[in-house]
């Protein structure tokens, strides 16, 4: 035990003078001070390392999220490219394309009309379905309403993408056929789609469009509340 840690009465018992105690203090205090400094320095270094590791972890998570978003974007673009290519390569006759176009345009009109019914205050600012699609990407309320409309019709975003792609590819030459006319030409449109459309996303979208119209979903929208075709869809350039 260091003399400095003993009571003064004990110094004399073991023959330690005051001068010896002072000398011990001169040695012990610097030692304790250096030990404390080393401990504080080590603590600071550990804290700095911990902060660096946390920063690295945050950076890693951000990079992972960016990579996942980029991968999703690339995957979405690839799917759209495949749908576009498939729509261009359809081997239907003009009459068959017009029949499919008729189903597609009726569903797109129903979607737009339903959106206007749910958002009456935005009727002027949402003159076309294209305007709805643009607005939903920026406006949360419009997006929520859009999702509810899709749910009503049993549609997914990918179905709408497929239908819009078909419309853009064939809309410039498409001619709308009424239901009674369609029945005169083709009795089973779904069978025709299943056999002729090889792209799964496009096939699913077209089949869903036929199902919606044939099940009378479109009939739920009053005829007098529907705008003409030219007012609902954007013009298609050649």
């Amino acid at each position: 035990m260091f003399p400095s840690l003993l009571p003064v009465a004990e110094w004399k018992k073991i023959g330690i003078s005051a001068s010896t105690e002072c000398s011990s203090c001169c040695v012990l205090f610097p030692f304790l001070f250096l030990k404390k400094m080393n401990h504080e320095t080590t603590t600071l270094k550990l804290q700095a390392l911990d902060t660096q590791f946390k920063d690295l972890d945050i950076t890693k998570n951000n990079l992972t999220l960016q990579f996942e978003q980029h991968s999703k974007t690339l995957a979405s673009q690839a799917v759209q490219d495949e749908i576009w290519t498939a729509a261009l390569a359809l081997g239907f006759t003009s009459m068959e394309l017009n029949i499919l176009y008729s189903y597609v345009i009726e569903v797109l009109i129903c979607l737009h009309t339903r959106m206007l019914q749910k958002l009456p205050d935005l009727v002027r600012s949402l003159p076309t379905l294209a305007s709805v699609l643009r607005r939903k990407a920026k406006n949360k309320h419009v997006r929520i309403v859009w999702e509810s409309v899709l749910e009503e019709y049993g549609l997914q975003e990918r179905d709408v993408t497929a239908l819009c792609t078909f419309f853009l590819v064939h809309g410039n030459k498409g001619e709308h056929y009424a239901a009674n006319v369609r029945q005169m030409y083709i009795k089973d449109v779904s069978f025709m789609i299943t056999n002729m459309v090889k792209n799964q996303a496009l096939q699913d979208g077209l089949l869903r469009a036929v199902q919606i119209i044939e099940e009378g979903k479109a009939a739920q929208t009053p005829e007098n509340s529907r705008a003409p075709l030219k007012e609902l869809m954007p013009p298609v350039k050649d």
Side-chain angles (χ1 to χ4, degrees), residues 3 24 34 70 76-77 107 112 117 138 161 172 179 206-207:
S24 299
L34 290 174
H70 185 61
S76 177
Q77 290 176 349
V107 170
H112 180 253
Q117 290 174 342
K138 301 177 181 179
T161 298
N172 59 329
L206 292 173
L207 286 174

Side-chain angles (χ1 to χ4, degrees), residues 103-233:
Y103 283 106
V104 170
I105 194 65
E106 286 183 18
V107 170
L108 295 181
I109 289 172
C110 289
L111 292 176
H112 180 253
T113 303
R114 188 67 180 129
M115 285 294 293
L116 297 184
Q117 290 174 342
K118 289 198 168 192
L119 298 170
D121 295 338
L122 298 179
V123 170
R124 290 183 177 274
S125 59
L126 299 175
T128 65
L129 182 61
S131 64
V132 172
L133 297 178
R134 287 193 298 268
R135 183 69 70 88
K136 78 178 179 66
K138 301 177 181 179
N139 188 299
K140 182 179 179 180
H141 179 57
V142 174
R143 182 168 63 254
I144 291 174
V145 174
W146 170 255
E147 291 172 354
S148 71
V149 170
L150 291 186
E151 186 176 356
E152 286 181 16
Y153 285 94
L155 289 167
Q156 303 290 330
E157 283 284 357
R158 63 189 179 191
D159 297 324
V160 177
T161 298
L163 297 179
C164 288
T165 301
F166 181 93
F167 173 81
L168 291 173
V169 172
H170 300 288
N172 59 329
K173 296 180 181 179
E175 182 180 350
H176 181 263
Y177 289 177
N180 59 333
V181 177
R182 296 196 293 260
Q183 289 296 323
M184 289 173 56
Y185 287 111
I186 298 177
K187 300 298 182 183
D188 193 342
V189 180
S190 296
F191 180 78
M192 180 186 74
I193 294 172
T194 302
N195 283 302
M196 296 290 290
V197 182
K198 303 306 178 183
N199 179 271
Q200 192 63 53
L202 183 57
Q203 182 187 113
D204 290 344
L206 292 173
L207 286 174
R208 187 67 193 126
V210 172
Q211 184 181 12
I212 290 171
I213 300 304
E214 295 299 333
E215 288 181 353
K217 287 281 186 179
Q220 295 178 5
T221 303
E223 289 293 334
N224 56 8
S225 68
R226 298 184 189 178
L229 298 181
K230 293 183 179 180
E231 293 182 12
L232 289 170
M233 302 304 300

Side-chain angles (χ1 to χ4, degrees), residues 70-106:
H70 185 61
S71 298
K72 289 180 180 179
T73 299
L74 291 177
S76 177
Q77 290 176 349
V79 170
Q80 291 180 22
D81 290 343
E82 290 176 0
I83 295 175
W84 189 275
T85 301
L88 287 169
L90 291 175
F92 293 116
T93 64
S94 297
M95 181 266 295
E96 291 169 337
L97 283 174
N98 285 335
I99 290 175
L100 292 179
Y101 169 82
S102 301
Y103 283 106
V104 170
I105 194 65
E106 286 183 18

